């Protein structure tokens, strides 16, 4: 990936030329408002980094030397959009058309009450604000006021590190102050193909060898892990985490085995197949990778992972269902004998979509034949079997003289099987079958 900077460190005109018109208009409007309110406004961090790397990024972070919240409110009024304010952090968010998200913050210096705590925020200058950031490549800023508009401010050598494709912390306590940076370092290295600068790598390994990460809350740790799993080439990310001994923070028995590596590699092509085949069934992609990562763990170890990472119920339930039902589904579907539709329906109905993808990925290692069959069966399940239901309902069973109870579920299940297997095709045939099952 090349860093292409147009016009030396003056980005004014190139800035306008390199971003879509609605973004450059927005930046100009923010600059004009800053002049009007007599504050200094800068766009900083990931947007500037990506601008220099030629990557599209519509997440804009503005830092205001002055009252950031008042600035955000005024900008929201000018643009006619809602402003979400977070008083405690001195930040505000504006959601704009065309997928643009604008974060506004008051320039601040921060101190940490203790490592891993959320920082105590004090108003400050842009320079102080940049000093509290994670890596040099994220410290670049561009002023938006008329004076200085578009000039690249590089107070920490971020440009040099972008050009040298290097991840570098700003000071030796960085990982101790905030251990989420251990994961962020790997994430950026992975995304951009950058290497860690030698001292940064040493500090990272030192911090990884301590228990600092244990002090991160479940949601914060989960957020970092899931962001890592959302990057490309997850298999490589997991290898890196293994090398740095970071997998133990997910579970002490988690290892980057060859089996895990192979399974993770098989997931991407299956997801591509799925998206093409079922575009209206979006997947929780990072969750599929998590399921793949913990595939070799026992059910109780998987429960420990769900607890440590404080997964919300919806995701936790998906992981549990997959853990409980995927092994037998794979056995059933990969058995030599050919299955009736009901034999395909039952194991697949127990799995969420993410589990179906993992199932197909796992079948890749068995044989080409099995893999093709499993994919065909998943397709048949999603396009056809899933929609087939019996015509009779619980009320019909009551009319037939059956007492409501657990038997209903069983009978309706048998009716569905019969429908799937085309053993019955009318209501009358279903009634006859119920009478035979219930010996009426
Ligand atoms: P991405 O492209 O993944 O969104 P980003 O650089 O925009 O990357 P964000 O998490 O959106 O990352 O954070 C915005 C900016 O805030 C970063 O560029 C960085 O300067 C700063 N930042 C975020 N998290 C931290 C952290 N844990 N420690 C220090 N600075 C951080």
């Amino acid at each position: 990936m090349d860093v292409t900077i147009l016009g030396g460190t003056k980005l004014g005109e190139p800035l306008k030329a390199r971003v879509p018109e609605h973004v450059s208009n927005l930046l100009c409007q923010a600059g004009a408002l800053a002049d009007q309110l007599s504050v200094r406004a800068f766009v900083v961090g990931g947007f500037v980094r990506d601008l220099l790397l030629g990557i599209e990024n519509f997440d804009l972070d503005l830092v205001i030397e002055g009252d950031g919240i008042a600035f955000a409110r005024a900008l929201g009024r000018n643009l006619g959009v809602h402003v979400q304010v977070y008083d405690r952090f001195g930040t505000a968010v504006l959601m704009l058309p065309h997928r643009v998200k604008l974060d506004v913050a008051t320039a601040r210096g921060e101190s940490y009450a203790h490592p891993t705590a959320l920082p105590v925020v004090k108003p400050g200058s842009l320079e102080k604000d940049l000093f509290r950031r994670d890596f040099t490549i994220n410290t670049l800023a561009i002023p938006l006021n008329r004076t200085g508009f578009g000039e690249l401010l590089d107070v920490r050598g971020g440009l040099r590190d972008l050009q040298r494709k290097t991840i570098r912390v700003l000071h030796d306590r960085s990982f101790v102050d905030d251990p989420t940076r251990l994961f962020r370092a790997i994430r950026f290295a992975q995304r951009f193909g950058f290497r860690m600068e030698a001292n940064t790598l040493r500090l990272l390994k030192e911090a990884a060898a301590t228990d600092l990460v244990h002090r991160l809350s479940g949601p914060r740790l989960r957020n970092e892990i899931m962001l890592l799993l959302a990057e490309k080439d997850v298999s490589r990310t997991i290898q890196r985490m293994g090398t740095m001994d970071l997998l133990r923070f997910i579970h002490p028995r988690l290892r980057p085995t060859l089996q895990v590596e192979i399974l993770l590699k098989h997931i991407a092509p299956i997801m591509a197949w799925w998206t093409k085949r079922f575009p209206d069934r979006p997947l929780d992609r990072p969750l599929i990778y998590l399921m793949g990562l913990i595939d070799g763990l026992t059910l109780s170890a998987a429960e420990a992972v769900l607890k440590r990472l404080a997964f919300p119920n919806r995701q936790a339930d998906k992981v549990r269902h997959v853990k409980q039902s995927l092994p037998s589904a794979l056995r059933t579907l990969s058995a030599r004998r050919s299955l009736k539709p009901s034999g395909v329906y039952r194991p697949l109905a127990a799995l969420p979509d993410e589990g179906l993808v993992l199932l197909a990925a796992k079948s890749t290692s068995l044989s080409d034949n099995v893999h093709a069959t499993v994919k065909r069966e998943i397709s048949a399940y999603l396009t056809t079997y899933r929609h087939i239901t019996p015509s009779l309902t619980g009320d019909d069973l009551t009319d037939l003289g059956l007492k409501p109870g657990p038997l209903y579920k069983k009978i309706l299940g048998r009716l569905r099987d019969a429908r799937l297997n085309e053993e019955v095709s009318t209501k009358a045939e279903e009634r006859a079958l119920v009478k035979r099952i219930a010996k009426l």
Side-chain angles (χ1 to χ4, degrees), residues 137-212:
I137 58 165
N138 288 336
T139 60
L140 294 161
I142 299 175
L144 298 179
N145 297 71
R146 186 183 293 273
T147 353
F149 180 87
E151 215 165 287
L152 183 68
L153 292 181
D154 178 12
V155 289
R156 305 292 315 184
L159 187 55
R160 176 202 58 198
D161 284 337
L162 267 188
Q163 282 161 329
R164 291 187 187 165
K165 303 173 190 277
T166 300
I167 308 290
R168 184 195 306 268
V169 285
L170 305 193
H171 55 84
D172 284 5
R173 278 188 59 80
S174 187
F175 292 120
V176 178
D177 281 348
D178 181 353
T180 62
R181 292 173 187 164
L182 295 169
F183 302 98
R184 289 177 66 86
I186 297 178
R187 175 147 62 93
F188 291 123
Q190 179 69 16
R191 186 189 306 169
F192 302 128
F194 283 14
R195 62 180 185 86
M196 309 260 180
E197 173 268 331
N199 186 47
T200 300
L201 184 60
R202 182 181 63 81
L203 295 167
L204 191 157
K205 286 185 171 162
E206 259 174 42
T210 69
D211 279 348
L212 274 171

Coordinates of all heavy atoms in Angstrom, one line a residue, residues 137-212:
I137 N 0.7 6.8 13.4 CA -0.1 7.0 12.1 C -1.5 7.5 12.4 O -2.2 7.9 11.4 CB -0.2 5.6 11.3 CG1 -0.8 4.5 12.2 CG2 1.2 5.2 10.8 CD1 -1.3 3.3 11.4
N138 N -1.9 7.5 13.6 CA -3.3 8.0 14.0 C -3.2 9.4 14.6 O -4.2 9.9 15.2 CB -4.0 7.1 14.9 CG -4.4 5.8 14.2 OD1 -4.6 5.8 13.0 ND2 -4.6 4.8 15.0
T139 N -2.0 10.1 14.5 CA -1.9 11.4 15.1 C -1.9 12.6 14.1 O -1.6 13.7 14.5 CB -0.5 11.5 15.9 OG1 0.5 11.3 15.0 CG2 -0.5 10.5 17.0
L140 N -2.1 12.2 12.9 CA -2.1 13.3 11.8 C -3.4 14.1 11.9 O -4.4 13.6 12.2 CB -1.9 12.7 10.5 CG -0.6 12.0 10.3 CD1 -0.6 11.0 9.1 CD2 0.6 13.0 10.1
A141 N -3.2 15.4 11.7 CA -4.3 16.3 11.7 C -4.3 17.3 10.6 O -3.2 17.6 10.1 CB -4.3 17.1 13.1
I142 N -5.5 17.8 10.2 CA -5.6 18.8 9.2 C -6.5 20.0 9.7 O -7.6 19.7 10.1 CB -6.2 18.3 7.9 CG1 -5.4 17.1 7.3 CG2 -6.4 19.4 6.8 CD1 -6.0 16.4 6.1
P143 N -5.9 21.2 9.7 CA -6.8 22.3 10.2 C -7.9 22.6 9.2 O -7.7 22.5 8.0 CB -5.8 23.5 10.3 CG -4.5 22.9 10.1 CD -4.6 21.6 9.4
L144 N -9.0 23.1 9.7 CA -10.2 23.4 8.9 C -10.5 24.9 8.8 O -11.2 25.3 7.9 CB -11.4 22.6 9.3 CG -11.3 21.1 9.3 CD1 -12.5 20.4 9.8 CD2 -10.9 20.6 7.9
N145 N -9.9 25.7 9.7 CA -10.2 27.1 9.7 C -9.5 27.6 8.4 O -8.6 27.0 7.8 CB -9.5 27.8 10.9 CG -10.0 27.4 12.2 OD1 -9.8 26.2 12.6 ND2 -10.8 28.2 12.8
R146 N -10.0 28.8 8.0 CA -9.5 29.4 6.7 C -8.0 29.5 6.7 O -7.4 29.1 5.8 CB -10.2 30.7 6.5 CG -9.9 31.3 5.1 CD -10.5 32.7 5.0 NE -11.9 32.6 4.9 CZ -12.6 32.4 3.8 NH1 -12.0 32.3 2.7 NH2 -13.9 32.4 3.8
T147 N -7.5 30.1 7.8 CA -6.0 30.1 7.9 C -5.5 28.7 8.2 O -5.9 28.1 9.2 CB -5.6 31.0 9.1 OG1 -6.7 31.7 9.6 CG2 -4.4 31.9 8.8
G148 N -4.7 28.3 7.3 CA -4.1 26.9 7.5 C -4.9 25.8 7.0 O -4.6 24.6 7.1
F149 N -6.1 26.1 6.3 CA -6.9 25.0 5.8 C -6.1 24.0 5.0 O -5.4 24.4 4.1 CB -8.1 25.6 5.0 CG -9.0 24.5 4.4 CD1 -10.1 24.0 5.2 CD2 -8.7 23.9 3.2 CE1 -10.9 23.0 4.7 CE2 -9.6 22.9 2.7 CZ -10.6 22.4 3.5
G150 N -6.2 22.7 5.4 CA -5.6 21.7 4.6 C -4.1 21.4 4.8 O -3.5 20.6 4.1
E151 N -3.5 22.2 5.7 CA -2.1 22.0 6.0 C -2.0 20.7 6.8 O -2.7 20.6 7.8 CB -1.6 23.2 6.8 CG -0.2 23.6 6.4 CD 0.0 25.0 7.0 OE1 -0.5 26.0 6.4 OE2 0.7 25.1 8.0
L152 N -1.1 19.8 6.5 CA -0.9 18.6 7.3 C -0.1 18.9 8.5 O 1.0 19.4 8.5 CB -0.2 17.5 6.5 CG -0.1 16.2 7.2 CD1 -1.5 15.5 7.4 CD2 0.8 15.2 6.4
L153 N -0.7 18.6 9.7 CA 0.0 18.8 10.9 C 0.5 17.4 11.4 O -0.3 16.5 11.6 CB -0.9 19.4 12.0 CG -1.4 20.8 11.8 CD1 -2.3 21.2 13.0 CD2 -0.2 21.7 11.7
D154 N 1.8 17.4 11.5 CA 2.4 16.1 11.8 C 3.4 16.3 13.0 O 4.6 16.5 12.8 CB 3.2 15.5 10.6 CG 3.9 14.2 10.9 OD1 3.6 13.6 11.9 OD2 4.7 13.8 10.0
V155 N 2.8 16.2 14.2 CA 3.6 16.6 15.4 C 4.3 15.3 16.0 O 5.2 15.5 16.8 CB 2.8 17.2 16.5 CG1 2.4 18.6 16.1 CG2 1.6 16.4 16.9
R156 N 4.0 14.1 15.6 CA 4.6 12.9 16.2 C 5.2 12.0 15.1 O 5.4 10.8 15.4 CB 3.5 12.1 16.9 CG 2.7 12.9 17.9 CD 3.6 13.3 19.1 NE 4.4 12.2 19.6 CZ 5.1 12.2 20.6 NH1 5.2 13.2 21.4 NH2 5.9 11.1 21.0
G157 N 5.5 12.5 13.9 CA 6.2 11.7 12.9 C 5.3 10.6 12.3 O 5.7 9.6 11.8
G158 N 4.0 10.9 12.3 CA 3.0 10.0 11.7 C 3.2 9.7 10.2 O 3.1 8.6 9.7
L159 N 3.6 10.8 9.5 CA 3.8 10.7 8.0 C 4.9 9.8 7.7 O 4.8 8.9 6.8 CB 4.0 12.1 7.5 CG 4.1 12.3 6.0 CD1 2.8 11.7 5.3 CD2 4.3 13.7 5.6
R160 N 6.0 10.0 8.4 CA 7.2 9.1 8.2 C 6.8 7.7 8.4 O 7.1 6.8 7.6 CB 8.3 9.5 9.2 CG 9.5 8.7 9.1 CD 10.3 8.8 10.4 NE 9.5 8.4 11.5 CZ 9.7 8.7 12.8 NH1 10.7 9.4 13.1 NH2 8.9 8.3 13.8
D161 N 6.0 7.4 9.5 CA 5.7 6.0 9.8 C 4.7 5.4 8.8 O 4.7 4.3 8.5 CB 5.1 5.9 11.2 CG 6.3 5.9 12.2 OD1 7.4 5.6 11.8 OD2 6.0 6.3 13.4
L162 N 3.8 6.3 8.2 CA 2.9 5.9 7.1 C 3.8 5.4 5.9 O 3.5 4.4 5.3 CB 2.0 7.0 6.7 CG 0.6 7.1 7.3 CD1 -0.2 8.2 6.6 CD2 -0.1 5.8 7.3
Q163 N 4.8 6.3 5.6 CA 5.6 6.0 4.5 C 6.5 4.7 4.7 O 6.7 4.0 3.8 CB 6.5 7.2 4.1 CG 5.7 8.3 3.4 CD 6.4 9.6 3.4 OE1 7.1 10.0 4.4 NE2 6.1 10.4 2.4
R164 N 6.9 4.5 5.9 CA 7.7 3.4 6.2 C 6.8 2.2 6.6 O 7.4 1.1 7.0 CB 8.6 3.7 7.4 CG 9.7 4.7 7.0 CD 10.7 4.8 8.2 NE 11.6 5.8 8.0 CZ 12.4 6.3 9.0 NH1 12.3 5.8 10.2 NH2 13.3 7.2 8.7
K165 N 5.5 2.3 6.6 CA 4.6 1.2 6.9 C 4.8 0.7 8.3 O 5.1 -0.5 8.4 CB 4.7 0.1 5.8 CG 4.4 0.6 4.4 CD 4.7 -0.6 3.5 CE 4.8 -0.1 2.0 NZ 3.5 0.0 1.4
T166 N 4.8 1.6 9.2 CA 5.2 1.2 10.6 C 4.2 1.6 11.6 O 3.6 2.7 11.6 CB 6.6 1.9 10.9 OG1 7.5 1.5 10.0 CG2 7.0 1.6 12.3
I167 N 3.9 0.6 12.6 CA 3.1 0.9 13.7 C 4.0 1.2 14.9 O 4.9 0.4 15.2 CB 2.2 -0.3 14.1 CG1 1.5 -0.9 12.9 CG2 1.3 0.0 15.3 CD1 0.4 -0.1 12.4
R168 N 3.8 2.4 15.4 CA 4.7 2.9 16.5 C 3.9 3.6 17.6 O 3.1 4.4 17.3 CB 5.7 3.9 16.0 CG 6.8 4.4 17.0 CD 7.5 5.6 16.4 NE 8.1 5.4 15.1 CZ 9.3 5.0 14.8 NH1 10.2 4.8 15.8 NH2 9.7 4.8 13.6
V169 N 4.1 3.2 18.9 CA 3.4 3.8 20.0 C 4.1 5.2 20.3 O 5.2 5.4 19.9 CB 3.4 3.0 21.3 CG1 2.5 1.8 21.2 CG2 4.8 2.5 21.6
L170 N 3.4 6.0 21.0 CA 3.9 7.4 21.2 C 4.9 7.4 22.4 O 5.7 8.3 22.6 CB 2.8 8.4 21.4 CG 1.8 8.5 20.3 CD1 0.9 9.7 20.5 CD2 2.4 8.5 19.0
H171 N 4.7 6.5 23.4 CA 5.5 6.4 24.5 C 5.5 5.0 25.2 O 4.6 4.2 24.8 CB 5.1 7.5 25.6 CG 3.6 7.3 26.0 ND1 3.2 6.5 26.9 CD2 2.5 7.9 25.5 CE1 1.9 6.5 27.0 NE2 1.5 7.4 26.1
D172 N 6.4 4.8 26.0 CA 6.6 3.4 26.5 C 5.5 2.9 27.4 O 5.4 1.7 27.6 CB 8.0 3.3 27.3 CG 9.2 3.3 26.3 OD1 8.9 3.4 25.1 OD2 10.3 3.1 26.7
R173 N 4.7 3.8 28.0 CA 3.6 3.3 28.8 C 2.3 3.1 28.1 O 1.3 2.7 28.7 CB 3.4 4.3 30.0 CG 4.3 4.2 31.1 CD 3.9 5.1 32.3 NE 2.5 4.8 32.7 CZ 2.2 3.8 33.6 NH1 3.2 3.0 34.0 NH2 1.0 3.6 34.0
S174 N 2.3 3.2 26.8 CA 1.1 3.2 26.0 C 0.2 2.0 26.2 O -1.0 2.1 26.5 CB 1.4 3.4 24.5 OG 0.3 3.5 23.8
F175 N 0.8 0.8 26.1 CA 0.0 -0.4 26.3 C -0.5 -0.6 27.7 O -1.5 -1.2 28.0 CB 0.8 -1.6 25.8 CG 1.1 -1.7 24.3 CD1 2.4 -1.7 23.9 CD2 0.0 -1.7 23.4 CE1 2.6 -1.7 22.5 CE2 0.3 -1.7 22.1 CZ 1.6 -1.7 21.6
V176 N 0.3 -0.1 28.7 CA -0.1 -0.2 30.1 C -1.3 0.7 30.3 O -2.2 0.4 31.0 CB 1.1 0.2 31.0 CG1 0.7 0.1 32.5 CG2 2.3 -0.8 30.7
D177 N -1.2 2.0 29.8 CA -2.3 2.9 29.9 C -3.6 2.3 29.4 O -4.7 2.5 30.0 CB -2.0 4.2 29.2 CG -1.1 5.1 29.9 OD1 -0.8 4.9 31.1 OD2 -0.6 6.1 29.3
D178 N -3.5 1.6 28.3 CA -4.7 1.1 27.6 C -4.4 -0.2 26.8 O -3.9 -0.1 25.7 CB -5.2 2.2 26.7 CG -6.5 1.8 26.0 OD1 -6.9 0.6 26.1 OD2 -7.1 2.6 25.3
P179 N -4.6 -1.3 27.5 CA -4.3 -2.6 26.8 C -5.1 -2.9 25.6 O -4.8 -3.8 24.9 CB -4.5 -3.6 27.9 CG -4.8 -2.9 29.2 CD -5.1 -1.5 28.8
T180 N -6.2 -2.1 25.3 CA -6.9 -2.4 24.1 C -6.0 -2.1 22.9 O -6.2 -2.6 21.8 CB -8.2 -1.5 23.9 OG1 -7.8 -0.1 23.9 CG2 -9.2 -1.7 25.0
R181 N -5.0 -1.3 23.1 CA -4.0 -1.0 22.1 C -3.2 -2.2 21.6 O -2.7 -2.2 20.5 CB -3.1 0.1 22.5 CG -3.8 1.5 22.7 CD -2.9 2.5 23.4 NE -3.7 3.7 23.7 CZ -3.3 4.6 24.5 NH1 -2.1 4.5 25.1 NH2 -4.0 5.7 24.8
L182 N -3.1 -3.2 22.4 CA -2.4 -4.4 22.0 C -3.2 -5.0 20.8 O -2.6 -5.4 19.8 CB -2.5 -5.5 23.1 CG -1.7 -5.2 24.4 CD1 -2.0 -6.2 25.5 CD2 -0.2 -5.2 24.1
F183 N -4.5 -5.0 20.9 CA -5.3 -5.6 19.8 C -5.4 -4.6 18.6 O -5.4 -5.0 17.5 CB -6.7 -5.9 20.3 CG -6.6 -6.9 21.5 CD1 -6.7 -6.4 22.8 CD2 -6.4 -8.2 21.2 CE1 -6.6 -7.3 23.8 CE2 -6.4 -9.1 22.3 CZ -6.4 -8.7 23.6
R184 N -5.4 -3.3 18.9 CA -5.5 -2.3 17.9 C -4.2 -2.3 17.0 O -4.2 -2.2 15.8 CB -5.7 -0.9 18.5 CG -7.1 -0.6 19.0 CD -7.2 0.7 19.7 NE -7.1 1.8 18.7 CZ -8.1 2.3 18.0 NH1 -9.3 1.9 18.1 NH2 -7.9 3.3 17.1
A185 N -3.1 -2.5 17.7 CA -1.8 -2.6 17.0 C -1.8 -3.7 15.9 O -1.5 -3.6 14.8 CB -0.6 -2.8 18.0
I186 N -2.3 -4.9 16.4 CA -2.4 -6.0 15.4 C -3.4 -5.7 14.3 O -3.2 -6.0 13.2 CB -2.8 -7.3 16.2 CG1 -1.7 -7.6 17.2 CG2 -3.0 -8.5 15.2 CD1 -2.0 -8.8 18.1
R187 N -4.5 -5.1 14.7 CA -5.5 -4.8 13.7 C -5.0 -3.9 12.6 O -5.2 -4.2 11.4 CB -6.7 -4.1 14.4 CG -7.8 -3.6 13.5 CD -9.1 -3.7 14.2 NE -9.3 -2.9 15.4 CZ -9.8 -1.6 15.4 NH1 -10.2 -1.1 14.3 NH2 -9.9 -1.0 16.5
F188 N -4.3 -2.8 13.0 CA -3.8 -1.9 11.9 C -2.7 -2.6 11.1 O -2.6 -2.4 9.9 CB -3.3 -0.6 12.6 CG -4.4 0.2 13.1 CD1 -4.5 0.7 14.4 CD2 -5.5 0.6 12.3 CE1 -5.5 1.4 15.0 CE2 -6.6 1.3 12.8 CZ -6.6 1.7 14.1
A189 N -1.8 -3.3 11.8 CA -0.7 -4.0 11.1 C -1.3 -5.0 10.1 O -0.9 -5.0 8.9 CB 0.2 -4.8 12.1
Q190 N -2.3 -5.6 10.5 CA -3.0 -6.6 9.6 C -3.7 -5.9 8.5 O -3.6 -6.3 7.3 CB -4.0 -7.4 10.5 CG -4.8 -8.4 9.8 CD -4.0 -9.6 9.4 OE1 -2.8 -9.7 9.8 NE2 -4.5 -10.3 8.4
R191 N -4.4 -4.9 8.8 CA -5.2 -4.2 7.7 C -4.4 -3.6 6.6 O -4.6 -3.7 5.5 CB -6.1 -3.1 8.3 CG -7.1 -2.5 7.3 CD -7.8 -1.3 7.8 NE -8.5 -1.5 9.0 CZ -9.1 -0.5 9.8 NH1 -8.9 0.7 9.4 NH2 -9.7 -0.8 10.9
F192 N -3.3 -2.9 7.1 CA -2.5 -2.2 6.1 C -1.2 -2.9 5.7 O -0.5 -2.4 4.8 CB -2.0 -0.8 6.7 CG -3.2 0.1 7.2 CD1 -3.3 0.6 8.4 CD2 -4.2 0.3 6.3 CE1 -4.3 1.4 8.8 CE2 -5.3 1.1 6.7 CZ -5.3 1.6 7.9
G193 N -1.0 -4.1 6.3 CA 0.2 -4.8 5.9 C 1.5 -4.1 6.5 O 2.5 -4.1 5.9
F194 N 1.3 -3.4 7.6 CA 2.4 -2.7 8.2 C 3.1 -3.6 9.2 O 2.6 -4.6 9.7 CB 1.9 -1.5 9.0 CG 1.5 -0.3 8.1 CD1 1.4 -0.4 6.8 CD2 1.3 1.0 8.7 CE1 1.0 0.6 6.0 CE2 1.0 2.1 7.9 CZ 0.8 1.9 6.5
R195 N 4.4 -3.2 9.6 CA 5.1 -4.0 10.6 C 5.2 -3.2 11.9 O 5.0 -2.0 11.8 CB 6.5 -4.3 10.1 CG 7.3 -3.1 9.9 CD 8.8 -3.3 9.4 NE 9.4 -2.0 9.4 CZ 10.0 -1.5 10.4 NH1 10.1 -2.1 11.6 NH2 10.6 -0.3 10.3
M196 N 5.4 -3.9 13.0 CA 5.6 -3.1 14.2 C 7.0 -2.7 14.4 O 7.9 -3.4 14.1 CB 5.3 -4.1 15.4 CG 4.1 -4.9 15.3 SD 2.8 -4.2 16.3 CE 1.5 -5.4 15.8
E197 N 7.2 -1.5 14.8 CA 8.5 -0.9 15.0 C 9.1 -1.7 16.2 O 8.3 -2.2 17.1 CB 8.3 0.6 15.3 CG 9.5 1.3 15.8 CD 9.6 1.4 17.3 OE1 8.5 1.3 18.0 OE2 10.8 1.4 17.8
A198 N 10.4 -1.9 16.2 CA 11.0 -2.8 17.2 C 10.7 -2.6 18.6 O 10.3 -3.5 19.4 CB 12.6 -2.8 17.0
N199 N 10.8 -1.3 19.1 CA 10.5 -1.0 20.5 C 9.0 -1.3 20.8 O 8.7 -1.8 21.8 CB 10.9 0.5 20.8 CG 10.8 0.8 22.2 OD1 11.2 0.0 23.1 ND2 10.1 1.9 22.6
T200 N 8.2 -0.9 19.8 CA 6.7 -1.1 20.0 C 6.4 -2.6 20.2 O 5.7 -3.0 21.0 CB 5.9 -0.6 18.8 OG1 6.2 0.8 18.7 CG2 4.4 -0.8 18.9
L201 N 7.1 -3.4 19.3 CA 6.9 -4.9 19.4 C 7.4 -5.4 20.8 O 6.7 -6.3 21.4 CB 7.7 -5.6 18.3 CG 7.5 -7.1 18.2 CD1 6.0 -7.4 17.9 CD2 8.3 -7.6 17.0
R202 N 8.5 -4.9 21.2 CA 9.0 -5.3 22.5 C 8.0 -5.0 23.6 O 7.7 -5.8 24.5 CB 10.4 -4.6 22.8 CG 11.1 -5.0 24.1 CD 12.4 -4.3 24.3 NE 12.2 -2.8 24.4 CZ 11.8 -2.2 25.5 NH1 11.6 -2.8 26.6 NH2 11.7 -0.9 25.5
L203 N 7.5 -3.7 23.6 CA 6.6 -3.3 24.6 C 5.3 -4.1 24.5 O 4.7 -4.5 25.6 CB 6.2 -1.8 24.4 CG 7.4 -0.8 24.6 CD1 7.0 0.6 24.1 CD2 7.7 -0.7 26.1
L204 N 4.9 -4.4 23.3 CA 3.6 -5.2 23.1 C 3.8 -6.6 23.8 O 2.9 -7.0 24.5 CB 3.3 -5.3 21.6 CG 2.0 -5.8 21.2 CD1 1.6 -5.3 19.8 CD2 1.8 -7.3 21.3
K205 N 4.9 -7.2 23.5 CA 5.2 -8.5 24.0 C 5.3 -8.5 25.5 O 4.7 -9.4 26.2 CB 6.4 -9.1 23.4 CG 6.2 -9.6 22.0 CD 7.4 -10.3 21.4 CE 7.0 -10.9 20.1 NZ 8.2 -11.3 19.3
E206 N 5.9 -7.4 26.0 CA 6.0 -7.3 27.5 C 4.6 -7.2 28.1 O 4.3 -7.8 29.1 CB 6.8 -6.0 27.8 CG 8.3 -6.3 28.2 CD 9.0 -5.0 28.4 OE1 8.5 -4.0 28.9 OE2 10.1 -4.9 27.9
A207 N 3.8 -6.3 27.5 CA 2.5 -6.1 28.1 C 1.6 -7.3 28.0 O 0.8 -7.7 28.9 CB 1.8 -4.9 27.4
A208 N 1.8 -8.0 26.9 CA 1.0 -9.3 26.6 C 1.4 -10.3 27.7 O 0.5 -11.2 28.0 CB 1.2 -9.8 25.2
A209 N 2.6 -10.3 28.1 CA 3.0 -11.3 29.1 C 2.5 -11.0 30.5 O 2.6 -11.9 31.4 CB 4.6 -11.4 29.1
T210 N 2.0 -9.8 30.7 CA 1.4 -9.5 32.1 C -0.1 -9.9 32.1 O -0.6 -10.3 31.1 CB 1.6 -8.0 32.4 OG1 0.7 -7.3 31.5 CG2 3.0 -7.5 32.2
D211 N -0.7 -9.5 33.2 CA -2.2 -9.8 33.3 C -3.0 -8.5 33.0 O -4.2 -8.5 33.3 CB -2.5 -10.3 34.7 CG -2.1 -11.7 34.8 OD1 -1.9 -12.4 33.8 OD2 -2.1 -12.3 35.9
L212 N -2.4 -7.5 32.4 CA -3.1 -6.3 32.2 C -4.5 -6.5 31.4 O -5.5 -5.9 31.8 CB -2.3 -5.3 31.3 CG -1.3 -4.4 32.1 CD1 -0.4 -3.7 31.1 CD2 -2.1 -3.4 32.9

